[in-house]
Amino acid sequence: MQEIVTVTEQKILIVESNTPDLISNGYRPAADYFISTFGALDETVICSVTRPYEAPLKVQELEGIDGVVFTGSSVDWSCDSKQAAPLRDTMSHAFKNSVPVWGSCNGLQLAGVVLGGSVGASSNGIEAGVSKEIRKTVAGKKHAMLTGREDIYAVPCIHIDEIKRLPLDAVILAENDHSPVQAFGYSSGGLDFWGTQYHPECTAFNIAEELKLSSKHVFNKAALVNDLKSSQDDPVAAERLGTSCEELKPSVRTIELRNWLEHIKVKKPH
């Protein structure tokens, strides 16, 4: 008799952190990057999107959800500002419901604030293109989020703000010379958070498109955009960015997100 295999779907709620105005002005919805990435990593993942800048989260949106993702954002304000209150409220609801949370870039900073830490502009200015020479911390070498990562690695990124004070009980998992917190994990009081300052959900080309729209000052921006667009297939361009074609392959770039999907699958009630 043929064995019947039951495939358990994973339901992910993605919190769109770009405003309607940004999207209408040409910015891609940040949720799209995750929908595409999760679809490639695991065809059983079902994504839904909530948009706090349009309407408050409804309680029923969290029903049956296995994990919540907070995307990056291209807004001009920091996540501790009055304007970002809708995102903070949404994250607080997710934590109160004990749902595992992932945060990329603005999502990481948001968790830092909601959990009791602080954020601010990096003293090193904007980190754009690729976050180079990211180093696993001692804790990071043991943490499931970074399983499969080299001890030193690079990932596409774009940010100005960074974590300034880590929340109590949070653990730094990765760092580099630009920002002391490139990734952290939090597991305390029933709350579960993983996040990165960089963007494992974005290709180098995606970052190039974001940079083209951004008004933020970036040194030699045109050359950087050109290198980002060709870096996945051009080893010389990748080297100029501080990475390699191998590191930019989807199978390597998305390691943290693949590990998070496995993490929430294990935590899923059976």
Side-chain angles (χ1 to χ4, degrees):
M1 181 181 295
Q2 185 177 5
E3 181 181 359
I4 298 175
V5 179
T6 301
V7 177
T8 303
E9 296 170 338
Q10 292 194 83
K11 296 181 179 179
I12 308 297
L13 178 65
I14 303 174
V15 181
E16 175 58 60
S17 301
N18 275 338
T19 63
D21 285 348
L22 276 174
I23 294 169
S24 66
N25 284 327
Y27 280 89
R28 185 175 175 183
D32 286 0
Y33 300 127
F34 283 95
I35 293 170
S36 175
T37 297
F38 286 147
L41 288 172
D42 187 340
E43 61 184 12
T44 70
V45 171
I46 298 174
C47 294
S48 57
V49 180
T50 190
R51 300 172 178 83
Y53 282 124
E54 293 184 26
L57 178 77
K58 296 183 176 72
V59 176
Q60 56 265 37
E61 290 183 86
L62 289 172
E63 292 179 2
I65 292 297
D66 301 305
V68 177
V69 166
F70 286 79
T71 72
S73 178
S74 298
V75 298
D76 290 331
W77 52 82
S78 297
C79 60
D80 58 354
S81 68
K82 180 180 179 180
Q83 296 98 314
L87 292 184
R88 294 195 300 274
D89 291 344
T90 303
M91 183 172 277
S92 294
H93 280 303
F95 283 145
K96 285 176 183 176
N97 283 270
S98 300
V99 183
V101 173
W102 171 272
S104 282
C105 197
N106 189 77
L108 176 89
Q109 297 162 20
L110 190 71
V113 171
V114 171
L115 295 171
S118 65
V119 300
S122 171
S123 58
N124 292 314
I126 190 168
E127 186 178 31
V130 171
S131 184
K132 300 181 283 290
E133 296 185 346
I134 305 171
R135 302 178 295 271
K136 288 184 182 180
T137 62
V138 173
K141 291 178 182 179
K142 302 173 184 177
H143 198 279
M145 185 176 82
L146 296 178
T147 298
R149 275 284 180 206
E150 298 292 331
D151 286 351
I152 299 176
Y153 58 99
V155 189
C157 80
I158 178 170
H159 72 102
I160 292 178
D161 287 353
E162 64 184 14
I163 299 289
K164 291 296 186 183
R165 188 181 75 252
L166 209 63
L168 186 67
D169 296 328
V171 179
I172 300 176
L173 304 177
E175 61 191 2
N176 75 351
D177 289 345
H178 190 281
S179 293
V181 182
Q182 284 287 350
F184 81 78
Y186 186 98
S187 181
S188 180
L191 307 186
D192 185 292
F193 174 81
W194 292 8
T196 60
Q197 183 57 74
Y198 47 87
H199 287 278
E201 76 280 9
C202 290
T203 65
F205 188 89
N206 295 151
I207 299 296
E209 293 298 300
E210 294 285 326
L211 276 172
K212 284 167 61 178
L213 292 168
S214 175
S215 61
K216 298 178 177 68
H217 175 72
V218 179
F219 176 72
N220 210 2
K221 184 174 177 177
L224 177 59
V225 167
N226 287 336
D227 278 348
L228 286 165
K229 285 185 172 182
S230 58
S231 57
Q232 189 162 318
D233 300 310
D234 182 345
V236 176
E239 185 177 7
R240 282 195 295 264
L241 293 170
T243 185
S244 66
C245 296
E246 180 65 26
E247 281 193 302
L248 295 175
K249 287 181 178 178
S251 59
V252 178
R253 171 177 52 82
T254 62
I255 281 173
E256 291 87 346
L257 294 176
R258 184 175 66 239
N259 289 339
W260 186 69
L261 289 178
E262 287 300 314
H263 172 64
I264 66 173
K265 187 181 292 184
V266 171
K267 290 179 69 70
K268 184 182 177 75
H270 295 284

